[in-house]
Amino acid sequence: MAGVEQDVQGGALQAEPAVAANGASAAMAEAPLASAGSADIAVENPATGEIVASVPDLDATAVAQMAARGRAAQPDWDALGFDGRARVMRRAQKWLMDNADRVVETIVSETGKTHEDAQFAEISYAANAFGFWAKHAKGYLDDQRVKSSQILVKGKKLLLRYRPLGLVGVIGPWNYPLTNSFGDCIPALMAGNSVILKPSEVTPLTSLLMAEGLRECGLPEHVYQVATGRGATGAAMIEQVDMVMFTGSTRTGRKVAEEAARRLIPCSLELGGKDPMIVLSDADLERAANLAVYYSMQNAGQTCISIERVYVEAPIYEEFVSMVTEKVRALRVGEPKGPGSVDVGAITFPPQIDTIAEHVADATGKGAKVTVGGHRLEGQRGRFFEPTVLSGVDHTMKVMTEETFGPTLPIMKVSDAEEAVRLANESPYGLGASVFTRDAARGEQLAKRIHAGATNVNDALINYTALELPMGGAKASGLGSRHGAGGIRKYCDQQAIVITSHLAFKREIHMFPYRARTTRMLQRLFKVMYGRGRRD
Ligand code: NDP
């Protein structure tokens, strides 16, 4: 595994190499445990069961000291301006490419995902994001001259300014340690903030490796810090920061929102999903089946926007199920031993495999049929679940209503598109969705009727790669969004600035002393402006 470095000085994080259980350098604490936290956290490779490193479990004191350092470093980072910060991000983009193998190995070692899942959905995302935010941050955040039709501000200069909030806290999940944990730090940094990242306790190593990379690229000390630890470390971080960007489960997201509300700081929440796919009778079935298999099984189904349930029109249902079943049967699952070695990797988070097994058992207990898979993979060192297809499912089953987050694909028969849209919307979640049809106009109309943050027509998930588009959840899938203008402006305060020339009148007409003649004149003016009405 690649080396990652971090140390604790007087309770606040600095960088220092340490040795992992497998002999690689890893994140460890140097300073007194009293201030660093009570114990270390062992990081397991879910594909082998081996402990690959350990990291400190930071307590509230350590997090507070880290916050103080981040705040102290922020003004100079902000003062570098967009161009100065963009230079660091572009160097980081190159660093990521130069060190791609090392980063991939680190991601694989802590998640158990395949090299391809790490390469395509993590390295390529972060590399693109470094360049995207380096290029576009200025356009999204530069001072904007605003025009107003309000007569009282005629002749004045109106400016909208975005000012960095100061110290941003990012809390991430375990399924994408680079994309979903570190990825959100990039726009926060480009906006001129210092950032503390609290990665999942299960997958902290990639975040630490990125700290090493950013340091090599000239990021000033303490502008990006990693607070390793469990949920309590995340909660302690919320106490310190000016804004929290959270990605994780809806259950924890609610707690984060409550804490943020108590402190009156903004939060942005990217939460769980139960993404529906609708396949209409006129769809290109080969493409629909290929995408259904890939986007439900990729990353072993541990993707917030993976296809979690499918609705297929009756005339093509049997054919679609059989096509998908054969394609899933061909997938190779097991320990990733290099590129091309397997298609489906491990289940990263230990309790997740119980949820997957429980959802499958619940469905079969209620009459669903497993057409392929259906069990934990036995005889392996690590944690794996067979890629599984279920037919004959309905909404009484958890596999159709709760987030399974595993390599499962339940496929339900529907009578028509209306029923499919109704069932797609019959969910507390609203993250992503997809519609497959050869009629693009109809697909677009149906897409607009699905209550989700993103809907793809004849595609799935791909919206995530277009950083110009907002990505966020409706309903219980989140608040706010990442990417696009909103994905960086949320890391800023908005400030309105009105500049009146020193040559302006000494006294303006609406001011004291009030006179009946002036009041009548203004009344007539308002009538002319607003009182004409429209007869249509
Ligand atoms: P969790 O909600 O369990 O954890 C997310 C993060 O929050 C972890 O770092 C966790 O720490 C931390 N945390 C736990 N308790 C608290 C607390 N009280 N205060 C602050 N932080 C806390 O999510 P998972 O890690 O299980 O991630 C999987 C979930 O993430 C799925 O529901 C998935 O859909 C969602 N997700 C959403 C995405 C989106 O863009 N909408 C993208 C990716 C995933 P620790 O792990 O140490 O307990």
Side-chain angles (χ1 to χ4, degrees), residues 73-214:
Q74 188 266 336
D76 285 349
W77 173 240
D78 185 26
L80 272 184
F82 292 112
D83 293 343
R85 295 195 291 275
R87 269 194 292 279
V88 176
M89 295 300 142
R90 289 209 177 88
R91 284 201 290 267
Q93 186 183 42
K94 170 141 186 357
W95 181 93
L96 185 58
M97 289 298 93
D98 292 346
N99 292 273
D101 289 345
R102 197 173 156 214
V103 181
V104 166
E105 286 304 328
T106 302
I107 294 172
V108 171
S109 77
E110 63 180 344
T111 60
K113 67 175 67 182
T114 65
H115 289 71
E116 286 76 7
D117 287 337
Q119 177 65 54
F120 300 145
E122 303 237 50
I123 301 286
S124 67
Y125 174 88
N128 182 33
F130 275 128
F132 176 84
W133 293 114
K135 182 173 175 194
H136 294 287
K138 188 172 186 207
Y140 287 139
L141 300 182
D142 227 0
D143 291 357
Q144 285 176 22
R145 193 78 186 261
V146 173
K147 283 199 177 127
S148 172
S149 58
Q150 170 56 259
I151 197 161
L152 292 173
V153 295
K154 282 282 174 249
K156 299 176 195 286
K157 182 177 173 184
L158 310 184
L159 275 184
L160 169 56
R161 178 191 172 215
Y162 293 98
R163 186 172 46 189
L165 285 163
L167 182 64
V168 168
V170 177
I171 300 177
W174 44 261
N175 59 343
Y176 286 97
L178 187 62
T179 298
N180 282 142
S181 291
F182 181 77
D184 289 311
C185 300
I186 302 172
L189 289 168
M190 265 313 296
N193 297 286
S194 283
V195 174
I196 300 177
L197 169 59
K198 206 304 272 178
S200 167
E201 75 186 70
V202 182
T203 56
L205 304 181
T206 306
S207 306
L208 293 164
L209 179 55
M210 292 312 294
E212 188 189 322
L214 286 176

Side-chain angles (χ1 to χ4, degrees), residues 172-174 180 198 200-201 246 248-249 252 270-271 304 403 482:
W174 44 261
N180 282 142
K198 206 304 272 178
S200 167
E201 75 186 70
F246 174 85
S249 65
T252 312
E270 295 292 340
L271 309 177
C304 53
E403 192 177 38
R482 55 165 66 95

Side-chain angles (χ1 to χ4, degrees), residues 237-314:
M237 190 184 76
I238 299 172
E239 290 295 325
Q240 300 292 333
V241 295
D242 300 313
M243 185 270 179
V244 58
M245 167 67 222
F246 174 85
T247 304
S249 65
T250 298
R251 184 179 41 80
T252 312
R254 284 188 213 280
K255 285 191 209 163
V256 168
E258 282 168 15
E259 285 310 299
R262 197 180 51 73
R263 288 204 55 228
L264 274 186
I265 58 167
C267 67
S268 186
L269 306 172
E270 295 292 340
L271 309 177
K274 188 73 191 171
D275 289 8
M277 171 186 190
I278 295 175
V279 186
L280 302 186
S281 305
D282 70 343
D284 177 337
L285 278 201
E286 180 66 22
R287 179 172 172 83
N290 279 332
L291 270 74
V293 171
Y294 183 69
Y295 288 122
S296 61
M297 304 296 165
Q298 172 267 346
N299 213 44
Q302 304 161 107
T303 302
C304 53
I305 48 176
S306 66
I307 295 173
E308 282 252 338
R309 52 191 169 126
V310 188
Y311 303 97
V312 183
E313 281 190 313

Side-chain angles (χ1 to χ4, degrees), residues 507 509-522:
R507 186 180 78 83
I509 194 163
H510 58 281
M511 293 177 176
F512 299 133
Y514 291 156
R515 291 196 187 97
R517 203 169 131 250
T518 316
T519 303
R520 278 195 296 277
M521 193 189 81
L522 285 175

